[in-house]
Amino acid sequence: MQLERLILFSYPVLVVMATAVMARRAPEPVILAAAGITYLGILMVFGHDFSAAAPGRASADILYGSLLVFLSATTFATYVIISKPLIAKMGSRFFTAAAMSVSSLAVATHAGGAALLGDGGAGFVTTPTAMIAVFGIATIGTVLPAFLVNEALGRLGPSRAAILGTAGPVATSLLAVPILGEPFSVYHLAALVCCAIGVTLVARQKQR
């Protein structure tokens, strides 16, 4: 889980570099240095987890999972970039409502397909406690942050909003240790510091 968050933590660098490419100008040296430091930290944890995994299926899962998370970071960076002009035209609230509606339809389609092809939905928990937890995750953990992020995109722009958004993965990584009991070795700490330095360099550059 820590490796996953560190990979997701790199998406602001992707946003800034993609914005530079779209503007048809080469990324500045400090941006390239920030990207190098960020991905050095990610590679540290990836190498540690990969070498510590059992040979065969476990190491293959780490490789495949890391690729999927990086693709997720890439798609989210793309979303951050293309959202700005749409939010300017539609307004952040209407854009978020439309995006959440499409997302809900996609999730419902996936769940229905999985139920038809899998166990027929027998694994879906419908106890009152579970439904309260699902409602809380859906509203507090998904819908409300989506409205706030899109409002920030409209006011700050994709680069600054992405950089400020990195506080989430950092806080989650730190809180996951005492609350969830997740491992946090010196490799994870060094990687988190590298990622924080890289993103900070990007933030300082954007403020100039």
Side-chain angles (χ1 to χ4, degrees):
M1 293 298 292
Q2 295 290 355
L3 175 60
E4 170 196 350
R5 296 187 192 103
L6 288 170
I7 297 175
L8 290 174
F9 190 25
S10 68
Y11 85 88
V13 177
L14 298 176
V15 171
V16 175
M17 295 187 69
T19 302
V21 172
M22 293 174 61
R24 296 182 179 180
R25 58 180 176 83
E28 299 181 16
V30 66
I31 301 299
L32 296 176
I37 294 172
T38 299
Y39 288 108
L40 174 62
I42 294 172
L43 287 174
M44 289 174 59
V45 175
F46 177 82
H48 172 264
D49 290 357
F50 191 81
S51 61
R57 183 64 181 175
S59 55
D61 287 343
I62 292 176
L63 182 62
Y64 182 60
S66 298
L67 176 61
L68 291 178
V69 176
F70 180 75
L71 290 176
S72 177
T74 303
T75 55
F76 187 73
T78 304
Y79 166 80
V80 169
I81 293 172
I82 66 177
S83 294
K84 172 62 176 176
L86 294 175
I87 291 174
K89 293 180 180 180
M90 303 168 62
S92 65
R93 285 178 291 182
F94 182 81
F95 174 82
T96 305
M100 290 291 99
S101 298
V102 174
S103 299
S104 299
L105 179 61
V107 171
T109 302
H110 176 269
L116 291 175
L117 298 175
D119 58 4
F124 186 70
V125 180
T126 57
T127 63
T129 302
M131 296 307 297
I132 292 174
V134 169
F135 179 79
I137 293 173
T139 54
I140 300 175
T142 304
V143 176
L144 181 59
F147 276 97
L148 296 176
V149 167
N150 289 330
E151 181 67 19
L153 284 171
R155 292 176 179 268
L156 302 177
S159 296
R160 291 185 178 180
I163 291 165
L164 291 174
T166 58
V170 176
T172 304
S173 295
L174 296 177
L175 291 174
V177 178
I179 296 177
L180 301 179
E182 291 187 3
F184 194 77
S185 66
V186 64
Y187 295 96
H188 296 92
L189 177 61
L192 191 61
V193 170
C194 286
C195 291
I197 292 174
V199 173
T200 301
L201 288 174
V202 174
R204 290 174 61 87
Q205 184 67 16
K206 293 303 294 182
Q207 292 174 354
R208 294 178 183 176

